[in-house]
Amino acid sequence: MLAMASARRARQPRVPRAPRVHRASAIVRGVSAAPTSKAARQPGPRGRRAAGGSNARAIAAALGVVAMGALAVVGHRSWAAGRVTLTFHVGDAARPATPLQLTVFPDVSAVTAPSPPQALAELTLAADAALTLTADEVSSHAIVRFRGDGIGAGCVHVQLGQPLPAIALQPPGIARGRVVAPTAVWLNGWRCAGLRPVADAEVTVMTGGGIGIDLGVARTAADGTFTIAGIDTTRDGLGLRVRAAGCALAHAALQPDGVGVLTAGDVALEQGAQRQGLIAAPPGFDCGSLLVLARGLPGVQTRPAADGRFTLDHLPERTEPRLLLLGVPPTLAHREASAAANAPVRIELVQAAMVRGRVRSAIGKPAAGALVWIGDQDAVRADDDGCFELVSQLPGEVAVQAQWESTDGRRRRHKWLAARRLQLAPGATVDGVELVVTDR
């Protein structure tokens, strides 16, 4: 009997018990005591659409914030790339801060530019203040000279977009030396080489290499010695430029010789040459506004008289440099001339021509930023539409050339060239010149 009862109990299925839920607790929690199915917990189509719209709005808002941040970063970099700030401080706290006289010069090649170049701006600044230069005032590079009472004069090179550390103003130092010239003396029947002092020579402490920005000037004494005070001897790249009558222009390096002292030792001059010349200009033109330069010889320059006559001094012997004219108006151009030793120097000014046109690729794309030039004159850069303008061109048959660099999808750089021959008449303007660059 017991065995049969046990077998019947084993065959009966076991019914699972429902979980015990306290009714009062379920009411307080606001949930049903009955279990919910998975299908009941899934949202309907309207709920899914609402949830999807909320997610899309959140993603769009996040992307908008990221885009605004990227634009802000790009804008700040573009803003910072177009300016540079200079700050000065007095190295010795015991010395009072005095106003600074600042002169801004272009950082240009001295091969085809006057030395020193014409100043861009003259400013007065407190020694503990800051100066900000922008692209509206200077090009990408410039040189700033600073001077002040009780402060050594110096220069600093600046580049737009590149931060500069604070410039420490130092006490004034000195540069000294002696200017001599070779000579020959007779000793016991022998002709011996010697050195003689050069008096009244002009000695300039300069910086910037051939650019030649002066920090101080002095004249040599009867024994050829000189002392130039008021310079910052801690600056790099300081040198001397010496001019003396009948001698070639000379340059010499300065070396430290104690605290606040630079020395050049003996600066030996060489025999120089002189050239007389004439600028043949149209009637009524004042040549006194021009400047005659010897190409490749920084500092060898002169200003002609109103009638065009000039004297170019301090040339090295046995040299015949090409001569350049600065200050020529766009309506005129000068023919090539050189300082020949055995022929009169004549520089002819003629009515200039002008060339306007456009540079494009073979598929018609504007070649923005392409370089365009004629002969060995300075190149101009085409604008965003590929348009260019060449002024002060000599009349005659010329070749207009262009060069454009582009980058492909793999960031490889390609150089494209173009050339076209033109016939220019005096005073004429040639418009609509099309230059198609190719990869030849």
Side-chain angles (χ1 to χ4, degrees), residues 58-433:
I59 294 174
L63 292 177
V65 172
V66 172
M68 291 179 62
L71 289 175
V73 171
V74 173
H76 175 74
R77 289 180 178 177
S78 177
W79 174 84
R83 62 186 58 231
V84 63
T85 300
L86 291 81
T87 56
F88 301 87
H89 70 89
V90 179
D92 185 0
R95 291 185 291 118
T98 59
L100 297 177
Q101 304 297 324
L102 304 181
T103 308
V104 183
F105 296 92
D107 191 355
V108 295
S109 170
V111 176
T112 59
S115 178
Q118 185 176 359
L120 298 175
E122 298 275 354
L123 305 168
T124 300
L125 186 72
D128 55 353
L131 170 67
T132 299
L133 299 175
T134 64
D136 296 332
E137 299 163 339
V138 299
S139 57
S140 59
H141 296 74
I143 300 176
V144 180
R145 182 182 63 193
F146 54 88
R147 288 173 170 168
D149 294 337
I151 293 173
C155 285
V156 58
H157 291 256
V158 299
Q159 180 180 353
L160 297 181
Q162 297 296 325
L164 284 176
I167 302 167
L169 302 175
Q170 303 295 334
I174 63 171
R176 60 192 180 192
R178 186 171 73 129
V179 179
V180 296
T183 186
V185 296
W186 291 93
L187 182 62
N188 297 328
W190 292 89
R191 189 174 185 270
C192 303
L195 296 174
R196 61 175 179 85
V198 178
D200 200 35
E202 180 189 81
V203 184
T204 304
V205 176
M206 65 176 194
T207 186
I211 299 176
I213 298 175
D214 65 282
L215 302 180
V217 183
R219 291 274 178 179
T220 56
D223 59 354
T225 60
F226 65 89
T227 299
I228 303 175
I231 60 175
D232 184 353
T233 58
T234 64
R235 291 285 150 187
D236 296 331
L238 298 182
L240 293 178
R241 174 176 288 171
V242 183
R243 285 188 178 94
C247 297
L249 192 72
H251 294 88
L254 286 169
Q255 302 297 331
D257 188 20
V259 178
V261 178
L262 298 174
T263 182
D266 286 347
V267 181
L269 304 183
E270 296 181 356
Q271 188 69 28
Q274 190 180 87
R275 302 286 189 273
Q276 306 289 334
L278 173 67
I279 301 175
F285 181 79
D286 184 7
C287 295
S289 60
L290 304 178
L291 192 64
V292 182
L293 305 180
R295 181 185 175 93
L297 296 175
V300 180
Q301 57 196 42
T302 186
R303 192 169 296 278
D307 61 357
R309 299 183 183 277
F310 65 90
T311 300
L312 192 62
D313 204 351
H314 311 298
L315 283 167
E317 285 190 318
R318 297 177 297 277
T319 59
E320 298 182 355
R322 179 183 170 186
L323 300 182
L324 303 175
L325 283 183
L326 290 188
V328 179
T331 56
L332 297 176
H334 71 88
R335 298 192 182 278
E336 184 174 336
S338 61
N342 300 321
V345 179
R346 179 182 173 88
I347 306 176
E348 185 180 0
L349 281 175
V350 297
Q351 293 293 323
M354 181 185 301
V355 179
R356 296 193 187 102
R358 181 172 176 265
V359 187
R360 63 177 179 85
S361 65
I363 60 175
K365 178 182 177 181
L371 295 176
V372 187
W373 70 93
I374 292 178
D376 59 354
Q377 296 192 5
D378 294 336
V380 300
R381 194 172 292 277
D383 61 16
D384 294 340
D385 297 325
C387 297
F388 66 89
E389 182 179 87
L390 298 171
V391 299
S392 299
Q393 301 301 318
L394 285 170
E397 186 178 358
V398 299
V400 185
Q401 302 181 68
Q403 176 180 310
W404 182 49
E405 293 186 357
S406 63
T407 306
D408 60 15
R410 297 183 180 180
R411 297 185 178 179
R412 296 176 301 186
R413 300 190 66 86
H414 299 274
K415 184 180 293 185
W416 309 80
L417 302 173
R420 181 174 175 180
R421 303 197 71 83
L422 298 174
Q423 185 69 35
L424 303 180
T429 299
V430 180
D431 284 310
V433 177

